[in-house]
Amino acid sequence: MAALVRFPECGVKFHVKHGGEVAPGVNVVVAGGRAPAPGWLREIARQKKIYCADRGAQYCLEAGLSPALLVGDCDSADNETYAQAASLGAQVFVHPPAKDDTDLQLLLQKMPPGDVVATGIFGGRFDHLFSNVYSLLAFKKRRGCRVALADEREFLLLLDGGEKAEIHLQDKKAAQAVSLLPLSAECRVNIGGVRWPLNDALLTQARPYAISNEPLTGEFTCECLEGSVGLYIHWQK
């Protein structure tokens, strides 16, 4: 079983075991939240295609990268950014600002097959983060692929029932917290290799208590038995 992706600056590599077929490759999605560090983005995007939602294209261009696709409404990135992306070969779709779907949701509708690493997700407004997380979870369920949200500060791996993640940290001391976030009303989980392990534990959105755990070594496992859960890691600055 091959690793989905390695995060060089976060120092994490993970495998996800699930029943479906392995998606063909990894695509990078860059949204318009907190900008990932340019060096980190270049490492993550190496030998991968990049798909941008609005201001995400600006982050790519600032890192010296060329997006393959740009979708948005020009409300957080200017026309010059769109023109530059197009001049570098990006396929560009411009939508009116007065629309129902978000820029990320419109982008996800045009994504090719493959697993996804999404960045530019964290930071900024909570309503944007909430929409981003659940939009990517719905995308994962539709496509049957694997999805991780990440930058050099935070990491969130989305897991559905029947999926198990094996996490390998380069430096366990850099992982400030490991948390399990119930993304469905209820979910059942296992987590081992941490200070407070859980076995067939019921997590609910009404009582999200499984936060601020600590890895014992550089490796730990998390399994989603039922429902949907987010495996979250926060990195020390």
Side-chain angles (χ1 to χ4, degrees):
M1 179 180 56
L4 171 60
V5 75
R6 176 179 178 270
F7 292 86
E9 293 189 27
C10 282
V12 61
K13 180 172 65 175
F14 64 90
H15 307 274
V16 177
K17 297 178 179 178
H18 62 166
E21 296 182 358
V22 176
V26 179
N27 299 311
V28 175
V29 166
V30 185
R34 181 176 66 221
W40 184 92
L41 181 56
R42 285 192 293 270
E43 288 290 335
I44 293 303
R46 183 177 297 175
Q47 298 181 335
K48 302 179 183 68
K49 288 189 175 181
I50 308 170
Y51 302 85
C52 296
D54 208 51
R55 187 164 51 186
Q58 178 182 323
Y59 302 155
C60 286
L61 296 173
E62 290 172 349
L65 300 170
S66 301
L69 175 67
L70 168 57
V71 177
D73 55 16
C74 291
D75 69 342
S76 60
D78 57 28
N79 290 328
E80 182 179 348
T81 297
Y82 276 70
Q84 185 177 353
S87 71
L88 293 172
Q91 190 176 13
V92 176
F93 294 89
V94 180
H95 295 266
K99 60 188 188 307
D100 291 332
D101 289 333
T102 68
D103 292 332
L104 177 62
Q105 290 164 351
L106 292 169
L107 173 65
L108 293 176
Q109 293 171 16
K110 297 183 178 296
M111 289 290 295
D115 294 320
V116 166
V117 173
T119 191
I121 298 295
F122 301 105
R125 288 167 42 177
F126 175 75
D127 56 343
H128 288 171
L129 175 60
F130 184 92
S131 176
N132 288 341
V133 169
Y134 278 96
S135 295
L136 285 161
L137 179 63
F139 173 83
K140 168 183 166 56
K141 290 178 180 293
R142 287 196 305 272
R143 295 289 186 93
C145 63
R146 293 170 286 193
V147 175
L149 294 61
D151 61 16
E152 72 278 6
R153 303 187 199 180
E154 299 176 86
F155 174 85
L156 180 65
L157 178 62
L158 307 183
L159 296 172
D160 281 326
E163 293 183 325
K164 180 179 181 180
E166 299 174 352
I167 304 296
H168 304 264
L169 302 174
Q170 289 181 345
D171 181 6
K172 76 178 184 68
K173 294 180 180 179
Q176 190 175 44
V178 174
S179 301
L180 296 180
L181 309 178
L183 299 178
S184 52
E186 295 183 351
C187 60
R188 287 194 175 274
V189 299
N190 297 330
I191 186 168
V194 292
R195 184 176 180 183
W196 295 285
L198 296 172
N199 184 39
D200 195 21
L202 176 65
L203 305 183
T204 69
Q205 291 180 334
R207 184 171 173 253
Y209 66 88
I211 63 172
S212 299
N213 215 325
E214 302 170 8
L216 295 177
T217 67
E219 299 183 2
F220 64 94
T221 61
C222 175
E223 185 174 10
C224 182
L225 304 172
E226 297 176 0
S228 299
V229 70
L231 171 59
Y232 175 83
I233 304 175
H234 183 266
W235 310 101
Q236 296 179 5
K237 294 183 182 179

